[in-house]
Amino acid sequence: FDSVTYLSTDTGEASGILDASAITAADIEAGVYDGATVEAFVVNYADLTQGKMIVQSGLIGAITRNGDGFRAETRGLAQKLQKRVGRVYTETCDAILGDARCGVSLGAFTFAATVTAVVDRRQFTAVALTQDAGYFEGGEVEFTSGDNDGLRMEVAEFSGGELRLALNLPYDVEIGDTFNAIAGCPKTAAICKSRFSNLDNFRGFPDLPGNDKILETNGTAN
């Protein structure tokens, strides 16, 4: 029994043409189909009432676009076995801001704002956001109106009310669009204490000696 052969992840590829009435470019960029379930099946075309026989099933992985077409990587169900189970020792916290392990209430760190200037789908300004530079970096914006209503995107940079997102939004950002800006967390003990007053729930191990300490010598020759 070869575990590498039988438990490795099956991969494939599906391709198609973008159709405004079905799969659209904007939907792909918005992540609508990320992680979607895919089934390959056969039917008796002469009698569809006999149902279908599933040949293979899996999940959608990376999706790329090329003009009016798209290609989607398909991954077998064994992909789920590739996920790491359990925790590892890290200097930074491995909780997600606001989840049960973190315990922070996001309401106190979520700020409603309105777009007042636009550079492109990735960069825009909201003068109502007067927090210190870097406050929203690693956090998210969630639009509450406009073409991007309901969509969320991570913030890469923040300074002087200007937000630069990690990726382009799928739809144009317009002046007057409203959104919620959620504070970022760099996962360090210092910020956990100073910004969130949540050090009791910090999930990192900043004081645990690492490999550098293990390999450290005192410089004395034996």
Side-chain angles (χ1 to χ4, degrees), residues 84-95:
R84 186 177 64 202
V85 177
R87 299 184 63 198
V88 296
Y89 291 110
T90 59
E91 181 179 354
T92 55
C93 180
D94 64 356

Side-chain angles (χ1 to χ4, degrees), residues 16-194:
I17 301 298
L18 294 171
D19 185 337
S21 65
I23 300 176
T24 66
D27 286 341
I28 290 176
E29 293 182 6
V32 172
Y33 298 101
D34 291 353
T37 300
V38 179
E39 290 183 349
F41 55 86
V42 295
V43 298
N44 180 357
Y45 69 89
D47 185 2
L48 296 181
T49 63
Q50 293 180 357
K52 63 185 180 181
M53 181 176 70
I54 297 176
V55 178
Q56 190 177 18
S57 63
L59 305 172
I60 290 290
I63 304 178
T64 57
R65 291 197 299 113
N66 182 14
D68 292 330
F70 69 93
R71 292 180 181 273
E73 177 191 19
T74 59
R75 301 172 180 173
L77 297 179
Q79 171 68 24
K80 295 182 178 181
L81 299 177
Q82 308 300 319
K83 293 183 178 180
R84 186 177 64 202
V85 177
R87 299 184 63 198
V88 296
Y89 291 110
T90 59
E91 181 179 354
T92 55
C93 180
D94 64 356
I96 298 174
L97 182 65
D99 70 7
R101 297 175 63 238
C102 168
V104 166
S105 174
L106 291 181
F109 302 97
T110 301
F111 304 87
T114 301
V115 175
T116 54
V118 178
V119 175
D120 50 32
R121 293 183 179 185
R122 190 177 181 184
Q123 190 170 344
F124 51 89
T125 300
V127 296
L129 300 178
T130 59
Q131 289 78 6
D132 294 338
Y135 185 86
F136 294 104
E137 292 176 8
E140 291 183 321
V141 295
E142 180 179 17
F143 279 81
T144 54
S145 71
D147 291 339
N148 293 292
D149 187 17
L151 297 180
R152 301 168 71 104
M153 183 62 69
E154 182 179 350
V155 178
E157 298 177 12
F158 170 76
S159 180
E162 186 175 67
L163 295 151
R164 185 171 181 272
L165 306 183
L167 297 171
N168 287 337
L169 288 160
Y171 309 105
D172 288 340
V173 179
E174 304 287 349
I175 292 175
D177 287 354
T178 57
F179 64 93
N180 291 322
I182 304 171
C185 179
K187 311 294 187 181
T188 63
I191 293 298
C192 186
K193 180 180 180 180
S194 62

